[in-house]
Amino acid sequence: MPRGSPNNNKRKADNMGDDFSFFGKRSKIGATKSTSRSKAADEVSFNQKKCLAWFREYVSPDDQETIGPEGMEKFCEDIGVEPENVVMLVIAWKMGAKQMGFFTQQEWLKGLSEMQADSIQKLQNRLDYLKALLSEPNHFKAIYLYSYDFARDKDQRSMDVDTAKIMLQLLLAPRWNLFPSFQQFLDQSRYKVINKDQWSNILEFSRSVLPDLSNYDMDGAWPVMLDEFVDWLKNEWKTE
């Protein structure tokens, strides 16, 4: 019997509260005190000089223009986020970072100025917002597609399958019932790399194909990899 029941371990990103704003908590309607306005202004203000000083806390003496892996580890510790947490991918996406484990000064300023975050506390105040982007389909698709070039080895045109499995676990495991089966398929398959077209179609498959595969069209424009996955999974179900 096809196992199409929802994954009990499925995790959802926290939803934004009604009072959430990209620039922090919205002021209550009708607040007129100047102190309230001043506090709100402090919250939304962005100081580039302060942001650059924060950036320099993480660079090494050998490269003052880039935060490397050691600086990135300290950055994660300071904002209270594990390096493997998906919100770090969202932050990298906001920055337009080109390489995993590195932020250039230009990327840092681009992302943090857009988020109006020039300090640890301000960025921490944006974390719920960043997580909530993963629950919005268009933003999630943009982050998912961005992750391919971000995570792949820049010396290779395609992503090695081991890296792909890690990224798919991070992005699709919480929201795709068939992900455990797809991971098993990759483990036993002949595939050593995943190209960009396959990567994009895995997302579309996860969104459009029912857990029991009843609406999968073998004559459709799906990559051969996904045809093979469907065949493999159906055979697995027959043996159960």
Side-chain angles (χ1 to χ4, degrees):
M1 177 104 179
R3 293 184 176 177
S5 59
N7 186 345
N8 291 330
N9 294 322
K10 182 178 181 182
R11 301 182 303 275
K12 294 182 179 179
D14 293 337
N15 292 324
M16 288 184 288
D18 292 337
D19 62 343
F20 186 87
S21 160
F22 187 78
F23 306 108
K25 296 288 184 179
R26 292 196 182 105
S27 299
K28 291 184 179 180
I29 296 174
T32 57
K33 292 183 179 180
S34 60
T35 54
S36 297
R37 290 197 299 269
S38 176
K39 184 177 181 180
D42 289 341
E43 171 64 16
V44 301
S45 64
F46 176 80
N47 186 310
Q48 181 170 309
K49 184 175 180 181
K50 183 178 178 182
C51 190
L52 281 172
W54 185 25
F55 173 82
R56 295 190 184 104
E57 293 181 17
Y58 305 117
V59 299
S60 69
D62 299 330
D63 187 354
Q64 296 288 308
E65 301 296 318
T66 306
I67 298 173
E70 289 187 8
M72 195 70 71
E73 185 176 350
K74 185 177 186 299
F75 170 65
C76 290
E77 182 180 339
D78 285 350
I79 64 173
V81 175
E82 294 293 329
E84 64 273 16
N85 191 305
V86 69
V87 77
M88 289 304 301
L89 178 62
V90 183
I91 290 173
W93 171 68
K94 277 288 187 183
M95 292 186 180
K98 298 294 190 296
Q99 185 176 3
M100 185 180 290
F102 296 86
F103 288 153
T104 66
Q105 179 175 297
Q106 183 178 3
E107 291 165 351
W108 177 271
L109 285 176
K110 172 190 177 297
L112 292 179
S113 62
E114 182 180 336
M115 290 183 279
Q116 292 288 287
D118 53 22
S119 67
I120 292 170
Q121 183 175 356
K122 284 184 180 180
L123 184 54
Q124 287 175 327
N125 290 343
R126 310 299 188 261
L127 293 179
D128 285 343
Y129 162 76
L130 295 171
K131 292 174 186 175
L133 292 178
L134 295 165
S135 297
E136 201 285 313
N138 290 333
H139 281 124
F140 180 82
K141 182 175 182 178
I143 293 164
Y144 177 91
L145 295 177
Y146 160 80
S147 71
Y148 184 84
D149 287 325
F150 177 64
R152 70 176 173 83
D153 188 330
K154 299 306 179 286
D155 294 330
Q156 304 294 327
R157 294 186 64 182
S158 298
M159 183 188 292
D160 70 87
V161 73
D162 289 334
T163 301
K165 286 190 290 187
I166 293 170
M167 298 304 294
L168 290 170
Q169 171 77 38
L170 189 69
L171 289 160
L172 293 186
R175 48 185 53 84
W176 184 24
N177 291 343
L178 291 179
F179 174 76
S181 296
F182 187 70
Q183 190 174 49
Q184 291 173 29
F185 165 75
L186 289 178
D187 287 341
Q188 59 81 55
S189 76
R190 60 186 170 84
Y191 292 97
K192 304 300 180 186
V193 297
I194 290 180
N195 63 41
K196 201 164 190 175
D197 180 63
Q198 291 166 336
W199 183 260
S200 176
N201 275 279
I202 290 168
L203 175 63
E204 295 310 312
F205 184 102
S206 74
R207 288 179 160 186
S208 62
V209 176
L210 296 173
D212 64 0
L213 305 177
S214 59
N215 66 334
Y216 185 77
D217 182 4
M218 294 293 287
D219 296 322
W222 297 107
V224 172
M225 168 190 279
L226 292 173
D227 288 336
E228 292 176 352
F229 168 59
V230 169
D231 285 339
W232 174 86
L233 186 53
K234 286 181 176 179
N235 287 331
E236 288 291 301
W237 285 341
K238 287 177 182 178
T239 61
E240 291 179 354

